[in-house]
Structure formats: structure tokens, C-alpha cells
Amino acid sequence: MRAGVVTLLAVGLFLIGAGSLTADDKAEKDQEALQGTWQPETLNQAGEAAPAEQLKEITFVITNNTYTMSMGGNELENGTFKLDSSKKPKTIDLEIQSGNDKGKKQPGIYELEGDTFKVCLAFPGESDRPKELVAKADTKTVSFVFKRQKK
């Protein structure tokens, strides 16, 4: 009887550990899939859409756990990010290291499907994580739909 309880406990601990490894593996898999250069198809800030011609000038480059956003070849901002794909919706947290919002954080949510990366972020310095992938009017959020740029 005692051996059965110990075995059951060991299996339970293994399954709990396996579940957390799976969550880490998912985040690592998403991080790998994000590597590369992305261009916004849409950009919406607090319900206001950016003009299409402006979007053509923006690039978002992800290397390892860092990002760089540029416009017209000029770097606007760079920083690091952390993913948590175990949450629903999946979460992303940016730490801005250069640019106008240096030192601020941006909590957000994301969805990644193939060559489409959707993300909604709180304004820099805001602490409330967005609830939806679209930045609506009267919210302090910005949303993007990015498409991967082919090499």
C-alpha cells in the first residue's frame, strides 16, 4: 500500500513537471518561430488606424529575445521581450532599452499563426495588459498585424 502511494505521488510530480516543461517548450517554439523581419499590415493605436503608406516604412526585427523597430531605415526603439504561451491569451512583455520610451515596459498579448503575428500592447509604462488583439478607442493600447518578410 505504501509503495503504491509513493508511486502515485512520483507520477503526479512527474506530470506536473512535464506540464511546465511543455509550457516552456511552447514559449521556446513561439520564440523560434518569431525570429526574422516582420512588416505591419495594420497598426491601430487607441482605435486610430495608421495610413498604409506609413506602414510600408516600418520593420520589426526579432533576433533571439531582442527586437528592433525601425521606420524608414532609422531605429525607433529596441529592447527585449519575454513570452508566456501557457496563458490564454498568450502574453508578451517588452522591456524598452532605447528610444523615447527607454526604461519602460509594455505588457501585451499575442497570437502567432505561420507568417502572421498579431500583437496588442499597452502603451509604454502602462501596467494593464490588453484583453483583446485589437486596440479600440478609449484604450491605452496599440495593436499590430505583422507579416513575415521573405528573404
Side-chain angles (χ1 to χ4, degrees), residues 73-94:
N74 298 314
E75 183 177 304
L76 298 175
E77 172 180 305
N78 73 45
T80 61
F81 68 93
K82 184 176 181 180
L83 304 175
D84 187 343
S85 59
S86 69
K87 295 189 175 163
K88 299 284 184 202
K90 297 176 180 182
T91 64
I92 184 169
D93 293 302
L94 304 183

Side-chain angles (χ1 to χ4, degrees), residues 13 15 17 27 49 55 61 73 88 92 96 115 132 146-147 151:
L13 290 173
L15 290 175
L55 298 179
V61 178
K88 299 284 184 202
I92 184 169
I96 303 167
D115 289 336
E132 301 176 68
F146 290 104
K147 288 291 185 182
K151 292 182 179 180

Side-chain angles (χ1 to χ4, degrees), residues 8-78:
L8 186 59
L9 181 60
V11 169
L13 290 173
F14 171 77
L15 290 175
I16 290 170
S20 66
L21 287 175
T22 302
D24 290 344
D25 290 345
K26 286 180 185 176
E28 191 172 304
K29 189 175 181 181
D30 277 0
Q31 186 153 335
E32 271 182 44
L34 281 172
Q35 302 301 302
T37 302
W38 300 83
Q39 185 165 28
E41 260 189 358
T42 65
L43 187 164
N44 191 309
Q45 184 169 314
E48 302 264 336
E53 61 273 0
Q54 184 181 13
L55 298 179
K56 294 175 187 174
E57 297 290 316
I58 298 172
T59 57
F60 191 71
V61 178
I62 296 178
T63 307
N64 299 317
N65 72 328
T66 65
Y67 73 92
T68 303
M69 183 170 285
S70 302
M71 185 167 187
N74 298 314
E75 183 177 304
L76 298 175
E77 172 180 305
N78 73 45

